[in-house]
């Protein structure tokens, strides 16, 4: 009998109604696994409490058991808004200029993870495997080990791993990496992120790390297995969204509202890592360099607001408002406006209809763990007349999606040239590229990602319990 699966992430996205068209692929895939293995999804409720209580509210969400904890306002401030979103997120996306190095954030991060461990540890049964997600909870395995948990624990990082030269600007970087050696398996989206992690372990003074065969690593007197697990989308679910009544109606609406024009589409959370300013400037360069094509195109940029309690997000929002306004003011004609810039969310089936109506998908982050929009855009295309994906070479997705038009998003001229090329690419070439890209999208379906990670975690070679005790003593 295989043990239960326990998924742990900052926010628990198990849907109340799994059939709703708005559910993301990751939430679907993890919920399906939890239903299959009779598991549990643990995380922050999103609520605050006046005083910390070490207990979880257990609920059923669409057949998945979830365990939710409330946090004190100070925890939310220092752990979530602070260390996670103002320190690790910018640093891991190579934005040291935006990284906050406040001690209180680091302390809040340690405290909150210890609190999560306090509530989670008693919920873990002897045969369970635990799968922890993302940068919010890097030290959680260490905190669980301190509470005597010996189960297999895996970690998956959804964002890039930073270059060593930048990571070392983080006070206590070694302590953070040392805590990762309490996992049995650490997964990254790409070889590039894994190699950067290996570089830190092998080269950082004081770590004394060793690279072992098959991507295992040894340091701090312990050993961890690492691997590359590229995430993807729920292809079948996305295809259903595209074929759904609302997906088809959205496609018709977009088609009618862009008549005689080629639609270029971008869909991104409002985040400085997504390269939105550079994208608008690249598009402006295209309008400037190709005046004859101006009124033939239209950029639809869907950009839901995110993390707007954080100053850097308010700043980028104001800059984008101004930039979109300026470009529209400068280039619009009485019957044409170059950019439709929308700060709102759409349902997933509507997004599928929008992607399908587009001739070009612009996915140009400055740095991105993977980027699922690139895969959704491809999956939404009409195989007979597919659109062209322009993809940043700095998105993790570029490691697999070499048939896209790969660009350097920092160069507005390169962006402009890529837009021109995408708009003029012959049908046969578009089809050939789409088929190759669609194969990648199928081969990396989110259920494959999930199953491979969990199977690898269950099969990892573990040190004997004696070694493990030595490791736990070392960490304490
Ligand atoms: C992190 C990593 C990694 C966007 N607007 C709407 C909407 N979205 C959906 C997209 C897509 C998802 O949000 C965004 O996923 P990304 O992968 O592009 O980016 P992050 O949010 O930064 O995610 C990233 C990912 O984790 C998974 O590991 O790929 O690198 O940064 O699915 O469609 N969804 C709906 N309405 C919107 O308006 N329904």
């Amino acid at each position: 009998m295989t043990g239960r699966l326990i998924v742990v992430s900052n926010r628990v996205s198990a849907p109340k109604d799994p059939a709703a068209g708005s559910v993301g692929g990751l939430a679907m895939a993890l919920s399906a696994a939890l239903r299959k293995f009779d598991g549990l999804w643990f995380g922050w409720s999103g609520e605050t409490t006046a005083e910390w209580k070490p207990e979880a509210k257990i609920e059923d969400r669409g057949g998945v058991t979830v365990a939710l904890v409330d946090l004190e306002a100070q925890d939310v401030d220092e752990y979530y808004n602070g260390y996670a979103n103002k320190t690790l997120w910018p640093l891991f996306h190579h934005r040291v200029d935006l990284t906050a190095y406040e001690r209180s954030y680091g302390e809040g991060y340690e405290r909150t993870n210890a609190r999560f461990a306090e509530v989670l540890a008693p919920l873990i049964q002897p045969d369970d495997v635990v799968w922890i997600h993302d940068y919010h909870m890097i030290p959680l395995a260490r905190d669980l080990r301190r509470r005597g948990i010996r189960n297999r624990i895996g970690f998956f990082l959804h964002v890039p791993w930073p270059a060593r030269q930048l990571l070392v600007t983080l006070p206590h970087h070694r302590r953070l990496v040392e805590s990762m050696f309490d996992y049995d398996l650490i997964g990254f989206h790409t070889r590039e992120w894994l190699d950067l992690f290996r570089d830190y372990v092998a080269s950082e003074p004081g770590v004394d790390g060793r690279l072992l065969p098959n991507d295992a690593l040894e340091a701090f007197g312990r050993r961890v297995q690492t691997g590359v697990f590229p995430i993807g989308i729920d292809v079948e679910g996305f295809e259903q969204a595209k074929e759904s009544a609302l997906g088809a109606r959205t496609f018709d609406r977009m088609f009618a509202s862009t008549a005689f024009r080629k639609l270029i589409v971008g869909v991104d959370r409002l985040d400085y890592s997504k390269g939105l300013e550079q994208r608008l400037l690249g598009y402006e360069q295209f309008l400037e360099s190709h005046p004859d094509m101006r009124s033939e195109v239209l950029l639809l940029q869907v950009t839901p607001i995110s993390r707007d309690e954080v100053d850097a997000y308010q700043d980028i929002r104001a800059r984008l408002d101004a930039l979109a306004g300026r470009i529209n003011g400068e280039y619009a004609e009485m019957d044409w406006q170059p950019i439709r810039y929308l700060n709102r969310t759409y349902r997933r089936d509507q997004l599928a209809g929008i992607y399908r109506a587009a001739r070009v998908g612009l996915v140009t982050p400055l740095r991105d763990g993977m980027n699922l929009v690139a895969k959704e855009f491809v999956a939404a295309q009409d195989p007979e007349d597919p659109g062209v994906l322009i993809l940043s070479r700095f998105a993790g997705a570029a490691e697999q999606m070499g048939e896209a038009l790969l660009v350097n998003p920092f160069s507005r001229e390169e962006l402009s040239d890529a837009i021109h090329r995408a708009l003029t690419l012959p049908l046969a070439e578009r089809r050939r590229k789409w088929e190759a890209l669609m194969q990648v999208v199928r081969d990396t379906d989110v259920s494959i990602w999930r199953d491979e990670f969990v199977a690898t975690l269950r099969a990892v070679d573990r040190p004997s319990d004696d070694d493990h005790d030595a490791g736990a003593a070392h960490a304490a």
Side-chain angles (χ1 to χ4, degrees):
M1 160 83 191
T2 330
R4 299 186 313 169
L5 174 66
I6 298 195
V7 170
V8 184
S9 59
N10 175 60
R11 294 303 289 273
V12 171
S13 53
K16 290 205 167 82
D17 172 11
S22 53
V23 184
L26 179 62
M28 290 292 266
L30 293 177
S31 302
L34 290 170
R35 277 191 289 272
K36 183 163 142 199
F37 294 115
D38 180 29
L40 181 76
W41 194 335
F42 176 93
W44 174 36
S45 62
E47 307 287 328
T48 50
T49 174
E51 199 183 335
W52 165 249
K53 285 184 229 59
E55 58 194 33
K57 292 176 278 191
I58 311 278
E59 292 172 11
D60 177 274
R61 287 235 190 120
V64 173
T65 308
V66 302
L68 305 171
V69 288
D70 298 342
L71 293 177
E72 285 178 2
Q74 190 185 351
D75 294 339
V76 175
D77 206 40
E78 294 174 351
Y79 146 80
Y80 180 67
N81 289 324
Y83 205 73
N85 286 337
K86 291 187 199 159
T87 304
L88 293 182
W89 176 273
L91 181 60
F92 281 31
H93 289 87
H94 281 190
R95 292 298 302 270
V96 263
D97 56 323
L98 297 177
T99 302
Y101 293 98
E102 269 76 348
R103 279 194 187 148
S104 61
Y105 292 167
E107 286 159 12
Y109 184 71
E110 295 271 337
R111 179 182 65 245
T112 307
N113 271 287
R115 287 181 163 183
F116 285 140
E118 184 183 1
V119 185
L120 177 57
L123 301 175
I124 298 174
Q125 297 171 9
D127 286 337
D128 293 347
V129 296
V130 183
W131 186 6
I132 296 172
H133 290 257
D134 231 359
Y135 59 101
H136 311 86
M137 297 186 160
I138 294 173
L140 187 53
R142 179 199 62 198
D143 296 338
L144 289 169
R145 301 286 184 219
R146 285 176 176 169
R147 291 180 171 274
I149 298 297
R150 296 189 172 185
N151 301 55
R152 287 169 189 273
I153 311 181
F155 177 75
F156 187 82
L157 185 69
H158 288 263
V159 297
W161 185 263
R164 181 168 61 91
Q165 291 78 354
L166 299 182
L167 182 59
V168 295
T169 66
L170 188 72
H172 309 303
H173 53 89
R174 213 174 292 122
R175 185 162 79 204
L176 189 76
V177 174
E178 179 173 0
S179 74
M180 295 173 81
F181 279 75
D182 274 311
Y183 288 100
D184 294 294
L185 173 65
I186 303 174
F188 300 88
H189 284 307
T190 65
R191 188 75 228 172
E192 189 179 347
W193 312 148
L194 172 54
D195 283 346
L196 288 169
F197 183 71
R198 288 161 61 82
D199 174 56
Y200 178 95
V201 172
S203 336
E204 181 56 22
V207 170
D208 205 15
R210 280 207 312 137
L211 306 179
L212 303 176
N214 299 322
D215 289 334
L217 292 169
E218 204 175 75
F220 310 104
R222 278 164 291 158
R223 190 192 146 108
V224 67
Q225 181 61 48
T226 64
V228 176
F229 301 89
I231 201 171
I233 63 167
D234 168 20
V235 178
E236 200 189 319
F238 205 79
E239 284 177 336
Q240 280 165 6
K242 170 173 94 172
E243 307 297 337
S244 69
L246 191 55
R249 203 156 63 239
T250 310
F251 170 77
D252 290 342
R253 261 180 75 184
M254 286 311 302
F255 192 75
S257 85
T258 57
F260 310 116
R261 297 213 163 92
K262 289 175 181 156
L263 178 66
I264 303 172
V265 74
V267 174
D268 312 75
R269 279 186 307 100
L270 208 172
D271 193 295
Y272 48 78
S273 67
K274 301 292 182 185
L276 292 161
E277 276 181 287
Q278 290 79 354
R279 184 180 311 172
L280 294 189
L281 292 170
Y283 179 62
E284 181 184 32
Q285 179 73 53
F286 167 79
L287 297 174
E288 201 45 48
S289 309
H290 301 281
D292 52 314
M293 292 178 84
R294 274 183 203 166
S295 53
E296 279 178 35
V297 296
L298 175 73
L299 171 61
L300 176 71
Q301 178 62 52
V302 178
T303 307
I305 309 290
S306 78
R307 304 180 192 167
D308 61 345
E309 314 74 26
V310 178
D311 288 350
Y313 287 76
Q314 293 165 10
D315 293 348
I316 173 85
R317 183 176 177 188
R319 284 204 302 277
L320 284 168
D321 285 348
L323 189 56
R326 181 182 67 68
I327 296 173
N328 273 338
E330 214 159 302
Y331 293 90
E333 303 281 349
M334 63 185 166
D335 60 348
W336 171 73
Q337 180 161 306
I339 305 175
R340 286 185 201 162
Y341 176 57
L342 307 175
N343 289 137
R344 54 161 291 183
T345 54
Y346 286 95
R347 285 170 53 99
R348 209 159 67 105
D349 32 18
Q350 290 175 304
L351 277 188
I354 293 173
Y355 292 134
R356 193 177 142 211
R359 169 55 69 85
V360 179
L362 261 184
V363 180
T364 57
L366 306 180
R367 199 169 164 85
D368 212 335
M370 172 58 70
N371 194 296
L372 294 176
V373 170
K375 296 188 175 181
E376 291 167 357
F377 175 80
V378 169
Q381 296 308 303
D382 172 359
E384 298 305 314
D385 186 19
V388 179
L389 175 65
I390 296 178
L391 178 62
S392 163
R393 52 169 297 181
F394 305 123
E399 203 168 270
Q400 304 153 8
M401 302 181 86
E403 279 297 335
L405 303 186
L406 294 185
V407 286
N408 172 359
F410 293 94
S411 159
R412 63 174 84 177
E413 279 128 341
E414 251 189 60
L415 282 170
S416 165
D417 290 351
I419 293 171
H420 183 260
R421 177 146 181 250
L423 289 167
T424 52
L425 207 65
L427 178 61
E429 187 62 358
R430 283 194 274 132
R431 280 197 191 149
R432 192 191 61 72
K433 282 184 172 298
W434 179 80
E435 268 158 29
L437 289 171
M438 192 60 207
Q439 195 54 48
V440 173
V441 172
R442 288 205 181 91
D443 290 346
T444 58
D445 190 281
V446 69
S447 60
I448 298 175
W449 166 80
R450 173 199 70 199
D451 292 347
E452 287 192 349
F453 188 92
V454 175
T456 310
L457 177 57
R458 288 192 198 278
V460 140
D461 244 359
R462 304 188 82 197
S464 72
D465 276 349
D466 291 353
D467 292 350
H468 186 76
D469 286 343
H474 184 93

